[in-house]
Amino acid sequence: MQPVTTSAPSGPMIPLDSCWICGGKQLVRVNEEYYDMTWHTDPVLVSYHQQRFWLVECQACGFLQPDLLPAAPDYFDRLYAKDRGTDWMELDFSTPYKDFIFEGILQALAAKLPEDRRSLLDVGTHVGRMPYLAARRGWSVEAIELNPHVAAFAAQRTGLPIHQLNAHLLADTGRRYDAVTLTDVLEHIPDPMKVLPELRNLLRPGGWLSVKVPNGRNQLRKQRLRSRLRLAKDASIADSLGHINHFSPKSLRSALEKAGFRRIEITTAAPELPTFSFHPKVLLSRASRLGVYYLARMLPGGIHTPLALNLQAFAMRDE
Ligand SMILES: [Zn+2]
């Protein structure tokens, strides 16, 4: 595929003037971001190439969001409709780099729910690794995946029901679950306060939601450091709006409270780990990722230190 050569960005943008989570109007610029559509061919996406915008921080709740959104109503559908091919999906499915995260979530949910409550919906399941692991642990699993290529792969690879419906339409079918999980998904959904109440509707009373997201401010700190050390080409954490929402512990809690959840717990989330091998680079990477994670978990107030790179929330539907 040839990189695009568009030089004049032309995609229309619309301003966002209040915080998606708390409605706060005091939004302060914290990082300039841009669209990089080098590897896309969709003309609507390409029209945004090199367009710039700011991530702004809500002074009331600490949530980071863009100050401008693409006006194209189907921008995000187009962004996520890409077909990367079966080989790429198979590789992603069979690589266990997120298993430490998935297994920890399944273990925590099993401890919160009675033994006879084991139905689970994985939202934004991608190639279906999470449902595959959950089914092996005895959960009755279904999933949502909107990208048709990825959904077809996940259904074929796991043999499980993979719905190509959004949460709202799935809830309309009357389906309900004991657990709903979103792992590295909520940061991709514009206006998260629209989807969180719909996820609550998909839970039976007493059911639990699990949400894992990047910790916005700490990801920005990390990326600025990597850029200074020349390990990254720049300090962007939202290029092309791949990540739209950037939560803080406070804004994640308040989003879940506003959506009607109770018994909210927020901790440092587990890291992705490169597949185990005795190669020194792999051992060092695993040790440093695990070291930072356990330190953030053990230190009093660790969630509020720069070590907490990702956030893990659990929240219950109590009625
Ligand atoms: Zn706010």
Side-chain angles (χ1 to χ4, degrees):
M1 200 187 296
Q2 289 299 308
V4 293
T5 51
T6 308
S7 55
S10 57
M13 312 270 269
I14 41 173
L16 278 178
D17 60 1
S18 57
C19 170
W20 269 331
I21 305 302
C22 74
K25 294 274 183 196
Q26 256 191 298
L27 306 174
V28 174
R29 286 177 167 188
V30 292
N31 206 48
E32 195 175 20
E33 300 278 345
Y34 59 93
Y35 291 81
D36 182 352
M37 294 302 172
T38 307
W39 301 108
H40 287 273
T41 50
D42 181 315
V44 171
L45 297 180
V46 169
S47 73
Y48 286 92
H49 188 57
Q50 296 182 345
Q51 192 91 288
R52 303 191 83 80
F53 64 95
W54 284 84
L55 273 188
V56 291
E57 183 176 53
C58 170
Q59 298 305 286
C61 76
F63 185 68
L64 305 182
Q65 67 184 34
D67 65 344
L68 296 168
L69 272 190
D74 53 357
Y75 174 87
F76 294 103
D77 295 333
R78 288 169 182 270
L79 191 63
Y80 295 120
K82 213 170 173 180
D83 182 2
R84 293 175 191 259
T86 309
D87 290 350
W88 183 88
M89 291 189 280
E90 179 56 41
L91 183 66
D92 212 39
F93 182 87
S94 52
T95 310
Y97 67 106
K98 280 193 177 182
D99 284 9
F100 183 55
I101 302 168
F102 294 145
E103 298 282 6
I105 291 168
L106 292 170
Q107 218 169 359
L109 290 170
K112 290 176 188 306
L113 286 159
E115 275 179 29
D116 59 345
R117 295 190 59 175
R118 288 290 181 273
S119 66
L120 184 146
L121 176 75
D122 188 41
V123 177
T125 198
H126 188 49
V127 291
R129 180 81 186 174
M130 168 64 146
Y132 164 76
L133 294 175
R136 286 211 316 187
R137 279 178 171 261
W139 292 80
S140 160
V141 194
E142 297 178 14
I144 292 181
E145 174 53 53
L146 297 180
N147 178 317
H149 313 286
V150 182
F153 174 87
Q156 181 266 326
R157 195 66 176 76
T158 63
L160 297 166
I162 311 290
H163 304 284
Q164 283 183 59
L165 292 174
N166 66 33
H168 176 70
L169 293 175
L170 188 63
D172 281 353
T173 67
R175 280 185 168 74
R176 298 293 180 266
Y177 306 87
D178 299 315
V180 171
T181 54
L182 287 88
T183 307
D184 300 322
V185 170
L186 194 58
E187 65 271 30
H188 299 280
I189 302 175
D191 203 349
M193 289 316 302
K194 281 194 183 142
V195 73
L196 283 171
E198 288 162 4
L199 298 172
R200 187 176 169 276
N201 287 341
L202 282 162
L203 283 166
R204 297 198 178 96
W208 283 84
L209 174 75
S210 159
V211 173
K212 186 224 156 194
V213 285
N215 188 350
R217 264 292 187 182
N218 286 350
Q219 291 290 340
L220 185 56
R221 279 192 187 101
K222 179 181 151 192
Q223 197 61 9
R224 283 177 172 164
L225 180 65
R226 293 185 74 231
S227 165
R228 272 203 297 275
L229 297 173
R230 300 191 185 276
L231 296 169
K233 70 178 165 75
D234 52 45
S236 165
I237 57 167
D239 82 59
S240 314
L241 281 180
H243 286 185
I244 313 160
N245 306 311
H246 304 263
F247 286 93
S248 60
K250 184 179 172 184
S251 58
L252 184 55
R253 177 176 294 278
S254 96
L256 292 166
E257 273 169 7
K258 272 183 75 174
F261 288 96
R262 299 288 172 262
R263 293 178 59 185
I264 297 161
E265 303 163 9
I266 295 179
T267 54
T268 302
E272 292 178 6
L273 296 174
T275 309
F276 185 83
S277 89
F278 286 105
H279 192 286
K281 217 172 152 184
V282 171
L283 290 177
L284 184 66
S285 168
R286 287 178 65 99
S288 61
R289 283 161 177 260
L290 287 169
V292 167
Y293 165 61
Y294 284 118
L295 206 57
R297 288 292 297 253
M298 284 174 342
L299 282 176
I303 187 98
H304 301 294
T305 69
L307 299 173
L309 293 170
N310 295 285
L311 302 172
Q312 172 66 50
F314 292 102
M316 198 183 83
R317 173 177 182 164
D318 64 354
E319 52 185 86

